[in-house]
Amino acid sequence: MARMRGFGTTIFAEMSALAARTGSINLGQGFPDTDGPPAMLERAVSAIREGANQYPPGPGVPELRQAVSEHRKDHYGLGYDPDGEILVTVGATEAIAATILALCEPGDEVIAFEPYYDSYAASVALAGAVLRPVTLRPDGGRFTFDPAELRAAVGPRTRLILVNSPHNPTGTVFTRAELEEIATLCRERDLLAVTDEVYEHLTFDGVEHIPAATLPGMRERTVMISSAGKTFSVTGWKTGWVCGPAELVRAVQTVKQFLTFTAAAPWQLAAAHALRHELGWVASLRADLESKRDRLTAGLSAAGFEVYRPAGTYFVQTDIRPLGFTDGLALTRELPSLAGVVAIPTQVFYARPERGRHFVRFAFCKKNEVIDEAVTRLTRLTRPGTGDSR
Ligand SMILES: *Cc1c(COP(=O)(O)O)cnc(C)c1O
């Protein structure tokens, strides 16, 4: 139908298929190649053996809603009632879709920072809403927005601002000052914030993630979304959660119940275990990812890319122009034959692809030997037109 025209196969499917077909190293799609905490995996197995195999309650199993509530309180000082203010979803992806469908009338406008996670534009289109992009640009080695541009994007039909921090694909973790710009606008113009915080625990160099809901006047107008996938290295479990004021969460649940009704039971029980007992494991994951970040950024710099050092997430953003390339989509399609590596052209995450034509995203949530081999291969990348192999 018309509103989904233009949303073909996702770039991740295209690039992962390319990696499989060419036997290339896949630094495209962001999934870890090692497992999450063993006791959490065991909890999923025991949940199945113990009979957690029928429909759980629509809002989610009480153990997980309770664990999410405790986690929000302990980490951020945010109180959410497990009965009515927390909803379990099929990953953050369903949470985002259900939230936008629940809160936007056709024609309402949604602000999102481009480049953005690809499901945002599709969810906005499904709702018949209109996406208003605000561009993140490099400034002092990290990507950020111009507050005047954000302000100018708000109009009479603006309903909500989508805030993804730590940000995929740029690796930016919004500072308190940046979040304050967003919060001020939300309060002044009576907007909602929908926050995608799936990388909340994966920040580096001592940078701390700040949830927008902790800023003054924001809890009552924020739908806060996260999930187990990135935090516990179980991207295949698709177990997420929404926290917010009861009225907003009720609206999201009204939509969610007719999308999937409920989320799979065993993963919910295992995620509840993980939130309560595996945050030490997450701290070691974070340290490990930080050193992988350093490994890949050093290698990509040596190979000639301009590298933006991420403060969080699984991803490093690069500029390909120092290597003599100009179009990331053309380069990533060629990269398997040029170097035996797959990456993601960042331009596909823009409403205006020309603004991100020269950026390419690499994932570092991979084994060290995989990163090292990819770097070795990329170092042999030849400058176009020169035949120079460096
Ligand atoms: C991975 C990811 C998601 C999806 O999370 P799921 O829990 O797997 O649905 C959402 N937003 C961002 C920014 C992501 O990187």
Side-chain angles (χ1 to χ4, degrees), residues 79-120:
Y80 290 104
D81 184 348
D83 296 317
E85 293 189 317
I86 296 176
L87 170 69
V88 177
T89 57
V90 182
T93 308
E94 189 199 28
I96 292 159
T99 300
I100 292 171
L101 287 166
L103 302 179
C104 294
E105 298 288 354
D108 279 355
E109 295 181 6
V110 172
I111 293 177
F113 296 96
E114 70 176 350
Y116 42 69
Y117 188 64
D118 63 345
S119 85
Y120 296 179

Side-chain angles (χ1 to χ4, degrees), residues 36 40 89 112 116 143 174 267 287 311 358 368:
M40 175 195 71
T89 57
Y116 42 69
F143 282 71
F174 281 150
W267 325 131
H358 48 282
N368 286 339

Side-chain angles (χ1 to χ4, degrees), residues 208-232:
E208 284 301 324
H209 166 64
I210 304 169
T214 60
L215 273 68
M218 287 303 285
R219 186 197 175 283
E220 61 263 37
R221 55 177 71 250
T222 300
V223 176
M224 181 185 196
I225 293 169
S226 194
S227 93
K230 309 294 163 48
T231 301
F232 301 112

